[in-house]
Amino acid sequence: TGVGSITVRTYDLPEGVKADNARLILSGLFPSDTTEVKQMDSGVSVVSRSTPRVVVMAAPVGNRLIVRASISDHAMVTQALAAMK
């Protein structure tokens, strides 16, 4: 999982990459479902959550993305966008 402070950044997309397509790809690369298992005195507790670790939105103007993520996840977003060139 991503670690560190959560920040919001904008990314200009490479030539030929559409914001909606990039958003779908990034959303698929960062799954939001997590399962936590805890040992308790009375047995085992299993909790499932669906909290997005990376939030990706297409900017309303220009071919850009607005991304909310941890610092380490932003590094992976940068790598993924570079791979789309």
Side-chain angles (χ1 to χ4, degrees):
T1 63
V3 179
S5 299
I6 301 296
T7 62
V8 174
R9 296 182 187 170
T10 59
Y11 294 90
D12 291 320
L13 295 173
E15 182 86 22
V17 176
K18 294 184 179 182
D20 284 335
N21 292 341
R23 183 181 59 78
L24 289 172
I25 291 168
L26 289 174
S27 295
L29 291 174
F30 296 95
S32 62
D33 295 331
T34 59
T35 301
E36 184 178 310
V37 179
K38 291 183 181 179
Q39 182 70 38
M40 316 231 349
D41 291 338
S42 60
V44 176
S45 170
V46 178
V47 178
S48 293
R49 294 187 182 106
S50 183
T51 305
R53 88 181 221 209
V54 174
V55 177
V56 183
M57 304 296 290
V61 178
N63 196 29
R64 307 174 86 186
L65 293 179
I66 301 169
V67 179
R68 178 188 169 274
S70 69
I71 292 169
S72 60
D73 283 341
H74 276 294
M76 287 190 279
V77 166
T78 299
Q79 290 175 352
L81 292 174
M84 291 182 203
K85 291 181 182 179

